[in-house]
Structures are given as C-alpha cells and as structure tokens.
Amino acid sequence: MKKWIVMAFCTILAAAALTGCGSADKYPNGKVYVFNWGEYIDQDTIRMFEEETGIQVIYEEYDTNETMYPKIEAGASNYDVVCPSDYMIQKMIDNDMLAELDWDNLPNAQANIGAQYYEQSTAFDPGNKYSVPYCWGTVGILYNTTMVDEPVTSWSILWDEKYADSILMQDSVRDLFMVGLKELGYSMNSTDEAELQAAKELLIEQKPLVQAYVIDQVRDKMIGDEAALGVIYSGEAIYTQRENPNLAYAIPEEGTNVWIDSWCIPKNAENKENAEKFIDFMCRPEIALMNFEFITYSTPNVAARELIEDEDIRNSEIAFPDLSQYKNLETFSYLGEEADTLYNNLWKEIKSY
C-alpha cells in the first residue's frame, strides 16, 4: 500500500514537472507583468504578442490612477509595464518610481507616435525619458439630444435644475474639480485654497442635482437613456454614439482637460527588456489600430490613424479634434503632496455633505 502511494505521488510530481515544462516550452522567453486600465486593450493583441515573442503576459487592471499608484509604490507586486495618466506620471517621476526607457529598443515608438504628442508629454515628462503615449483625448459633456433641447456649450448646464437627477459626474477627484474650477474660470491645476474652496462650494451646490458619481458607468447609463447629461472621456463618447445615435458630445467653451495616458516601466521592474518589447509591439501601426478600434480612445499613432478605413472615424472631431479651435485647454499637472491632500480632503467634504 505504501509502495502504491509512493508511486502515485511520483506520478503526480512527474505530471506537474511536465506541465511546467510545457509552460516553459510555450513561453521560453519569460514573462512580462502589465498593469493597465480596465477594458483598455484588445486582448487579441496580447495573444499575438505572446505567440510572436514567446513572452507570457500576466495582465491586471485598475480603475483610477489613485488606485494604481499605491500598488506600484508599495512594490508588493513587481509590475513591468503600467499606463498612468499625465499628472500621475509626473508624480511617479518626482518620487523616483519609473525607469528610464532605452529608446534603442523602441523603434516603433520613435517612428509612429506623432511628434506633437511627445511635445505635449514634455509638460509632465521632460525630455521624454520615461513614457510612450498610448491614448489621448479630451473630457467633455455627453448629452442625449432627445432629453436636452438647447445647445450644450458650457459647463453651467450641469447646474440647471431642470436636469435634476439626470446628471452624471465623474467619481474622480481631479476630473470632478476640473469641472468646478473651469466653470469658475480658474485653472484646473489651481493650488489656490480660496479657488478650491469656491469650486467645492459650487460642487456641493450641484450635488442635489446629480444622479450619481461614476466612472465607467457613465457610458452604460447614457447608452441606456438613464441620464440626460454626463461628464465623460472622449473615447467613451465615441463608443456610446455607436450604441445610441441620440448621444452627442461637446467640449465646453470654458475649456477642459486634454489628457495623455502613456506606457511606463516601474523602476523595480524585473523584466525591463520584455517590457520594452511589449511597449514597442503596441506601437506597431496595425496593433495600435486594433487597440483603437476596440477601445475607441484616440491613438497618438499617426501611422495607425492612416490605416483607419472609415473616413468619418479617421476625421472624427471627437476622436481627432482640431485643438486650435478651443480655448483654455490644459493638461493635468502633479501639484505636490500638500495639494493632493487638500484636493482629497475637499472631495471628502463634498461626498459627506
């Protein structure tokens, strides 16, 4: 009996070893750990990368910059690739959390990303040492033309009482305060406490009119005709219009946020070479096109944009707006720990009101 048990145990160990060998055979070139926004990549591109390179992709998702940051900071999980937004990249650079990129390993990133996006990135990544633009866009108002019968030109419509319980706001401290600050004529990067207090009071005044503070649910609620107005990212607006033709998108006259999300490599990454291979693969025109068509967020890959067959999409004013026609456009900056604390405390006051 004991002999049988020993033989069975050895069989199990042999099977486990063979399974491990099979995995090693399938992915002979190691792994790469990727941490990205939810629903922010075409999974087919990951499988294509794995098949071509023999590198296994371990993929995880997050919902906001603020939930991503502490995980990278703690270092409990050694991610190799992450995709923060502009101001968070600046914060991570300031706190020595990112590795400098080896541009010799990123030929597609050099050849295919438009120069204007690298120029815009210098505001948060001087010298373009740490980041490769992945997606960009604006923040505006999505509205249902069957429920809203007046022109949507200003953030002020979000304070109109006739839309009570039919307004969706972003559950994100910087995006929320951007709306309040812009409505008051202030910079969305303000650190002036009086201006921020004024924005807080304005947002508290608005709160009884707000149906919900949400992130991804703005898209679903607007598609389902559950709200008349919602603050949304331009990429989501493109998707919603495909699903509900009654929806329209507007950039308010007071100005808004023009953002960039970029690929970066954490400083403690254990697979930096594989990370750079992953980033460069995502910068191939045909791969960037697949991701654009899946997530509908504007691509900074000019070669990919040329491959878009639908002329209406290729020239879409939502996907690829002429930013020169808008005033008071800004990109978020990292404002420092003191300002972060102030913003977060004011947001807590709004939530608890």
Side-chain angles (χ1 to χ4, degrees), residues 1-221:
M1 183 67 177
K2 288 181 180 178
K3 184 178 179 181
W4 181 87
I5 293 172
V6 170
M7 290 177 64
F9 183 65
C10 289
T11 301
I12 293 170
L13 288 177
L18 288 172
T19 302
C21 289
S23 178
D25 288 342
K26 187 175 182 181
Y27 302 113
N29 296 318
K31 301 177 180 180
V32 61
Y33 291 81
V34 179
F35 200 26
N36 194 14
W37 297 83
E39 299 182 34
Y40 211 39
I41 201 167
D42 185 337
Q43 293 289 331
D44 285 341
T45 65
I46 293 178
R47 287 188 283 273
M48 292 167 67
F49 173 80
E50 290 178 326
E51 291 172 3
E52 178 177 316
T53 64
I55 297 169
Q56 183 180 13
V57 178
I58 313 299
Y59 192 82
E60 293 184 32
E61 298 179 339
Y62 56 88
D63 58 357
T64 69
N65 285 292
E66 286 68 28
T67 57
M68 173 276 298
Y69 180 86
K71 291 188 176 182
I72 302 295
E73 183 182 37
S77 299
N78 290 327
Y79 298 107
D80 301 307
V81 180
V82 68
C83 190
S85 301
D86 30 55
Y87 71 96
M88 190 56 71
I89 293 171
Q90 184 180 352
K91 180 176 182 177
M92 296 173 82
I93 292 171
D94 288 354
N95 291 322
D96 196 29
M97 292 169 59
L98 297 180
E100 288 195 26
L101 302 172
D102 184 345
W103 286 95
D104 290 338
N105 295 332
L106 299 165
N108 287 308
Q110 293 187 66
N112 300 322
I113 304 299
Q116 67 270 36
Y117 304 106
Y118 282 122
E119 182 179 351
Q120 184 179 340
S121 297
T122 60
F124 54 87
D125 178 11
N128 300 120
K129 295 180 180 180
Y130 300 94
S131 62
V132 174
Y134 175 54
C135 293
W136 73 281
T138 59
V139 178
I141 300 173
L142 187 70
Y143 60 101
N144 191 311
T145 56
T146 67
M147 302 179 188
V148 179
D149 55 11
E150 69 236 65
V152 178
T153 59
S154 170
W155 292 114
S156 63
I157 197 170
L158 301 176
W159 278 261
D160 192 326
E161 292 186 357
K162 72 180 178 182
Y163 299 113
D165 200 37
S166 199
I167 296 169
L168 302 171
M169 296 292 287
Q170 286 287 317
D171 188 14
S172 164
V173 59
R174 292 297 299 272
D175 287 317
L176 184 77
F177 269 87
M178 181 275 290
V179 176
L181 288 165
K182 284 296 186 185
E183 168 63 9
L184 292 169
Y186 301 140
S187 168
M188 67 185 197
N189 290 311
S190 176
T191 58
D192 184 293
E193 188 165 358
E195 293 180 355
L196 292 171
Q197 287 286 351
K200 181 201 77 173
E201 294 300 328
L202 189 64
L203 292 166
I204 287 174
E205 176 188 326
Q206 181 207 32
K207 191 173 180 181
L209 308 178
V210 176
Q211 181 189 115
Y213 296 93
V214 288
I215 299 178
D216 294 337
Q217 298 95 324
V218 174
R219 175 186 65 191
D220 301 328
K221 284 178 172 288

Side-chain angles (χ1 to χ4, degrees), residues 136 234 237-238 241 249 292 296 298 305 308 310-322 325-326:
W136 73 281
S234 54
I238 297 169
Q241 287 185 320
Y249 178 79
F292 167 73
T296 66
S298 305
R305 182 181 176 185
I308 299 173
D310 188 326
E311 186 176 348
D312 289 339
I313 295 295
R314 189 170 63 248
N315 299 317
S316 166
E317 293 183 4
I318 299 176
F320 304 104
D322 177 5
Q325 66 179 304
Y326 300 102

Side-chain angles (χ1 to χ4, degrees), residues 232-294:
I232 200 167
Y233 302 111
S234 54
E236 298 280 12
I238 297 169
Y239 174 81
T240 61
Q241 287 185 320
R242 290 179 180 176
E243 301 298 313
N244 186 339
N246 293 324
L247 300 177
Y249 178 79
I251 296 176
E253 60 192 5
E254 297 91 352
T256 192
N257 173 23
V258 179
W259 53 267
I260 294 182
D261 292 341
S262 300
W263 297 119
C264 300
I265 299 176
K267 197 165 188 177
N268 65 345
E270 296 181 353
N271 305 288
K272 186 172 186 289
E273 185 176 340
N274 286 352
E276 289 173 337
K277 288 180 180 178
F278 179 86
I279 294 171
D280 201 55
F281 183 86
M282 292 299 155
C283 291
R284 289 185 186 177
E286 67 277 12
I287 300 301
L289 177 64
M290 287 178 65
N291 281 321
F292 167 73
E293 291 179 338
F294 180 79

Side-chain angles (χ1 to χ4, degrees), residues 301-340:
N301 193 308
V302 294
R305 182 181 176 185
E306 292 174 1
L307 297 177
I308 299 173
E309 294 183 359
D310 188 326
E311 186 176 348
D312 289 339
I313 295 295
R314 189 170 63 248
N315 299 317
S316 166
E317 293 183 4
I318 299 176
F320 304 104
D322 177 5
L323 298 180
S324 65
Q325 66 179 304
Y326 300 102
K327 297 179 180 179
N328 301 318
L329 301 179
E330 297 180 86
T331 296
F332 279 131
S333 298
Y334 171 53
L335 305 175
E337 295 294 338
E338 186 177 341
D340 271 359

